[in-house]
Amino acid sequence: MKRLDTDILVIGGGATGTGIAWDAALRGFKVILVEKRDLTHGTTGRYHGLLHSGGRYVVKDPGSAVECITENRILRKTHAHCIEDTSGFFVVTPEDEGEYPDLFKAACEKCGVPCAEIPVAEALRREPLLNQRISRVFEVPDGAADSFLSTHATAQAAQRVGAQTLVYHEVIALLLEGGDGNRRVAGAQVRNVTTGEEMAIHASMTVNATGAWAGQLAKMAGIRVDVIPGKGTLVAMNHRVVNTVINRCKKPADGDIIVPIHTVAVIGTTDERVTNPEDLRIEPWEVYLMLSEGEKLVPSISKARVVRTWAGVRPLYQEHYSGSSRDATRAFTLLRHNNRDGVQSFLTMTGGKWTTFRLMAEKAVDAACEQIGVRQPCVTAETVVPGIEQGHYWLGHRLHEVEDLKLQGELVCECELVTRTMVENAVRRNPLVTLDDLRRDVRLGMGPCQGGFCTYRACGILHELGSKQQADARPPLQVSARDATWEVAYLQSPAHNNGAAAAAPSPLSNQAITVEDANLLLRDFLQERWKGLTPILWAQQLKQERLDELIYLSLLNADHLPDGDRQGPLSTFWRFDTTPNEKTERDHA
Ligand SMILES: Cc1cc2nc3c(=O)[nH]c(=O)nc-3n(C[C@H](O)[C@H](O)[C@H](O)COP(=O)(O)OP(=O)(O)OC[C@H]3O[C@@H](n4cnc5c(N)ncnc54)[C@H](O)[C@@H]3O)c2cc1C
């Protein structure tokens, strides 16, 4: 079996794991990060998109609120291009009156969360669709954040300082040494899920950053970690009904935030304790609840088109806790398994939020330094990731670049303004195993038609690239971030992709694409998109889906493509049953 050696092995390619890899590599460690799918496959790729100001936690969990506002200020600098400075309102609807708004204001002051009460008329001028019956409005520095881009940018920043990232590599066992009382995790046995090849990665320190899967991973070392998987369902509306993050000014509950992110507005979320982090089935009652709660903030919201629903599972952790996931702490927890369980060289970092991933990474690497016996300070708060010179994201950025360079004829995805060169560069420069990876890279298929028109075009491009690769008979190349003039940080910029990068000689992707693969990618991507549409098939979206069905099933005969029984890395993911049941209400409501 192939063997690799490293100082620190990080398991999990979400915000926390990539943050740890970046921090550890900056402190001079040799680092390998392994992720069983693509980066952000887990909760990081399924979250709400809020850069917390801390306002949500000031009353209930002031410690988390202080962490959020501190990290909010840092991330605006270190990950500027991944953040939209939307600002945030906490609004008092007729149902929220009482003592909470005053408690909220006082608690913001205590936690250092900037909070200004603004006239209702001003709030309504800025957000005309808001409920006209709100009585008070507080403004806080909330923002919207793109976790796909930020995680890729963090991973690239880590690679620039020597970290190695292995996506589609799953830890199937931990390497254990020593006997009772003297056990040690010495690394992990990893399987490449696309080739089946296995290897052993030996490490001085292994960090479990697998989020909601942390309990399953710790079990491989014989350790019990009771993560409380709290599933949250989110509902995306087809346009930005608001441009500011809108929160209800009350104790956190279901459906009390609307976040404008990219071209859509997302209402969230529910919080249901589930037994399995892969349990992502969305129930009709969750969608109805989001829409009816959303109406209290923006009364017309349910008249807009629902484009998609999705769910993520919170990796909550609270020692000896048995209550509901809604009331479990949102704080993060570092488990030092040497002290807690008598197992050396193994740490688990879990809980927390996307907003606090950098701080979580700092604490995990501090603990690793302490155990390895190295004194190196954390520098991530003062180090920027590639791409920040683009400034904060703004809604018109892609349109502006497309119009400026007259790239309209180049568009593969009209909803999200994805150009052909963006697709080609992402395929060539970023490890790509499924079309869903391309979605995370450039936002392909994420707009109102949910892949109706762009999926077959992207497949055609992949097919062409694959045929060219076969014709050239060149061996597939591994792309290293260091030799690319094109940067992951610019995945989402039509202008950058159209410029220097496109002209640069591009090594082909590390995946050989064959005709059958393109068919497989098409089928799996359509199925994956379908998963988030089954709970919302009514009104305009049903018409859209009927059109997509005619394109793919009637015109392209997509369910009878050659080699239709083949399995891709995404197949197992959509093959689990996502059929919503008929319940329209929560059992214990
Ligand atoms: C519905 C919802 C909404 C949220 N909204 C917000 C928000 O608006 N703002 C905010 O700040 N936070 C939000 N959060 C919280 C935030 O999303 C999470 O705290 C954060 O993304 C967790 O990141 P992570 O890296 O710890 O976990 P993950 O992103 O889940 O990463 C863990 C990774 O480990 C991988 N993995 C698992 N097992 C293995 C294995 N055996 N081998 C290799 N890899 C493995 C998984 O594939 C996964 O990619 C939300 C959470 C939910 C559920």
Side-chain angles (χ1 to χ4, degrees), residues 12 15-16 35-36 41-44 47-48 50 171 314 352 354-355:
T16 311
E35 162 55 50
K36 67 176 177 171
H41 161 77
T43 310
T44 301
Y47 85 142
H48 201 160
L50 174 66
V171 169
R314 294 177 185 82
W354 177 87
T355 306

Side-chain angles (χ1 to χ4, degrees), residues 11-17 34-52 169-172 209-213 216-217 220 230-234 259 269-270 310-315 349-356 360:
I11 308 171
T16 311
V34 290
E35 162 55 50
K36 67 176 177 171
R37 306 263 178 181
D38 188 22
L39 295 179
T40 72
H41 161 77
T43 310
T44 301
R46 301 163 201 284
Y47 85 142
H48 201 160
L50 174 66
L51 171 71
H52 283 278
H169 281 72
E170 180 168 11
V171 169
I172 51 173
T210 55
W213 291 265
Q216 294 177 7
L217 197 104
M220 295 179 190
K231 186 195 75 173
T233 291
L234 297 146
V259 179
T269 160
T270 52
W310 69 92
V313 176
R314 294 177 185 82
M349 175 52 91
T350 191
K353 291 162 280 294
W354 177 87
T355 306
T356 55
M360 292 162 72

Side-chain angles (χ1 to χ4, degrees), residues 179-183 342-344:
D180 274 354
N182 190 27
R183 271 185 306 148
V343 177
Q344 308 299 317

Side-chain angles (χ1 to χ4, degrees), residues 235-249:
V235 173
M237 312 309 294
N238 71 334
H239 65 98
R240 285 170 57 126
V241 288
V242 287
N243 288 307
T244 310
V245 173
I246 309 292
N247 304 264
R248 291 265 294 273
C249 192

Side-chain angles (χ1 to χ4, degrees), residues 440-471:
R440 282 181 281 261
D441 289 351
V442 296
R443 300 186 65 81
L444 182 90
M446 290 185 77
C449 82
Q450 287 291 299
F453 295 94
C454 58
T455 308
Y456 64 80
R457 293 175 185 158
C459 257
I461 294 171
L462 293 182
H463 187 177
E464 269 175 38
L465 291 175
S467 312
K468 187 169 175 332
Q469 183 171 329
Q470 283 168 354

